Amino acid sequence: MALSPSQPNWLSTTTTTTKHSKTTFNTIPSQINVNQTNLSSNKNPILSYSINPSKTSITQNQNNPPLVVVGSANADIYVEINRLPKEGETISAKTGQTLAGGKGANQAACGGKLAYPTYFVGQIGEDAHGRLISEALETGGVQLDHLSIVSNAPTGHAVVMLQSDGQNSIIIVGGANMCCWPEKFDEKDLEVVKNAGIVLLQREIPDSVNIQVAKAARSAGVPVILDAGGMEGPIPVELLNFVDILSPNETELARLTGMETESFEQISQAVLKCNEMGVKQVLVKLGSKGSALFVEGEEPINQPIISASKVIDTTGAGDTFTAAFAVALVEGKSRKECLKFAAAAASLCVQVKGAIPSMPARKAVLDLLHSL
């Protein structure tokens, strides 16, 4: 039984069977309201899901509402190179491989592998790349009833140029991520968002989709984290108005604000500009320098990296960090604990090649934290 936002803040214990939809996201868990400023105060039971995209059994058994990720799904075409080619130069790759990825799918996979109930809302084509992604997400424990299959666009893909030091450069082809979305969603299509504990967005799908999703989340009191990665253009003010936490890396922060971000002081000044744009919390990913959470009117919280024994591939590390932070936040951890949990997950991620394949299991993250 689906409850509207105005109904009592509890769940029926009745088990509900739902069917896979290729075109809408109107298969939803029961409504759970979340206080944006105090997630730890939420005591509502949550749903656990069997992972079968055609038939999902939903039952009550946990204490937190689900993570809903709305975003992109790509097939990542990896080429391993010693260095980037110069202009006009052709070089040979050592190896090539295609793996599942995309910022939205990465973050959903991270939530699933961290053993947290996770929905992914996105689009793939009717092709081999789409099947690669859906299989990877299903294996990772992600609920797929809201993954749409479109017939008139290919699955999005990306070329990942992976250098020997683990750093990467990426070129994205949007495909189904950037087209075929409804121009305007019906209210029933957005119920999955309104029933979330927290919503994750990125900029590899149209801004118009993100705006509708963020607005629906805000109307139901569901916090929204926007990962700034993806499109290079400015973020619409209308979207920022419905975002609770903006999460850029240093480069994205510089691009969004037009300011230098080389030093921590410069980053702090750039964050103030984000505050002026309407965002009260900014979670900045600083690469080898760690991360920092800026809350307007408060001192920033710094988190150094948790050193990895080896760095093989940084692809997906930022997505792992953001998703792990979201999971910890909706579970009621403190801000400092959220940052440390996310840092541990990212540290494990960079030690494995590929985005989704590198997402760590919850036990591995907890074991690393306990070893510190």
Side-chain angles (χ1 to χ4, degrees):
M1 180 178 68
L3 307 179
S4 71
S6 61
Q7 288 177 295
N9 198 14
W10 46 266
L11 295 173
S12 165
T13 57
T14 304
T15 298
T16 305
T17 300
T18 64
K19 293 185 178 181
H20 179 55
S21 168
K22 290 187 177 181
T23 57
T24 63
F25 2 139
N26 59 347
T27 304
I28 58 172
S30 299
Q31 170 67 25
I32 305 172
N33 292 329
V34 179
N35 184 323
Q36 295 184 54
T37 59
N38 185 12
L39 291 171
S40 63
S41 67
N42 187 280
K43 302 297 182 183
N44 300 296
I46 185 50
L47 315 168
S48 122
Y49 314 99
S50 66
I51 307 304
N52 182 330
S54 61
K55 191 173 183 180
T56 303
S57 175
I58 303 179
T59 56
Q60 164 192 334
N61 78 341
Q62 295 184 20
N63 296 319
N64 294 301
L67 166 68
V68 173
V69 182
V70 183
S72 60
N74 289 327
D76 289 342
I77 303 167
Y78 278 80
V79 290
E80 293 190 45
I81 54 178
N82 291 321
R83 59 174 177 82
L84 293 174
K86 298 176 182 178
E87 184 176 349
E89 181 184 23
T90 299
I91 62 174
S92 296
K94 292 185 289 185
T95 63
Q97 187 178 11
T98 301
L99 299 170
K103 293 187 72 64
N106 291 346
Q107 292 175 8
C110 183
K113 289 189 176 182
L114 290 174
Y116 196 87
T118 302
Y119 282 81
F120 178 59
V121 180
Q123 298 189 153
I124 55 176
E126 291 182 320
D127 49 37
H129 285 165
R131 291 189 292 275
L132 173 72
I133 292 164
S134 61
E135 290 169 5
L137 289 172
E138 184 178 351
T139 300
V142 179
Q143 215 284 342
L144 296 181
D145 277 17
H146 312 297
L147 175 61
S148 298
I149 302 172
V150 299
S151 59
N152 54 347
T155 300
H157 57 279
V159 178
V160 181
M161 293 173 282
L162 180 63
Q163 298 178 69
S164 56
D165 61 358
Q167 298 303 310
N168 63 73
S169 299
I170 304 174
I171 301 170
I172 297 172
V173 179
N177 295 313
M178 294 302 296
C179 64
C180 308
W181 293 88
E183 184 176 338
K184 181 175 174 57
F185 294 113
D186 293 333
E187 284 300 312
K188 66 178 182 179
D189 296 333
L190 294 168
E191 284 299 310
V192 66
V193 171
K194 294 180 178 180
N195 284 278
I198 195 163
V199 170
L200 275 177
L201 303 175
Q202 322 80 38
R203 301 199 69 214
E204 290 182 349
I205 61 174
D207 285 330
S208 60
V209 175
N210 280 335
I211 289 169
Q212 291 184 69
V213 170
K215 187 174 182 179
R218 175 63 61 85
S219 73
V222 177
V224 173
I225 298 178
L226 173 63
D227 189 307
M231 289 183 285
E232 294 185 6
I235 300 176
V237 174
E238 186 179 4
L239 176 55
L240 291 175
N241 286 339
F242 299 112
V243 169
D244 296 279
I245 302 176
L246 177 65
S247 182
N249 60 28
E250 293 167 286
T251 302
E252 293 157 354
L253 181 62
R255 186 171 68 230
L256 290 170
T257 61
M259 301 173 68
E260 295 290 330
T261 56
E262 296 297 323
S263 68
F264 193 80
E265 177 58 31
Q266 290 174 332
I267 290 169
S268 299
Q269 292 301 312
V271 167
L272 289 177
K273 188 166 183 179
C274 291
N275 296 155
E276 293 172 2
M277 296 162 66
V279 180
K280 304 304 181 184
Q281 299 186 61
V282 183
L283 176 61
V284 186
K285 299 175 283 268
L286 302 172
S288 62
K289 293 176 284 187
S291 61
L293 176 62
F294 296 81
V295 179
E296 188 175 35
E298 301 181 19
E299 288 296 313
I301 304 172
N302 292 290
Q303 171 62 50
I305 63 165
I306 296 175
S307 296
S309 58
K310 55 185 177 180
V311 177
I312 293 178
D313 181 8
T314 59
T315 307
D319 295 329
T320 299
F321 181 92
T322 304
F325 181 92
V327 167
L329 188 63
V330 78
E331 287 179 339
K333 294 180 173 64
S334 70
R335 292 167 179 164
K336 287 185 177 180
E337 289 172 327
C338 290
L339 287 168
K340 193 169 185 179
F341 185 80
S347 175
L348 293 168
C349 170
V350 301
Q351 299 181 53
V352 179
K353 187 172 75 171
I356 289 178
S358 70
M359 303 296 168
R362 176 179 286 266
K363 183 179 184 302
V365 176
L366 295 179
D367 287 347
L368 175 57
L369 288 171
H370 291 157
S371 71
L372 299 176

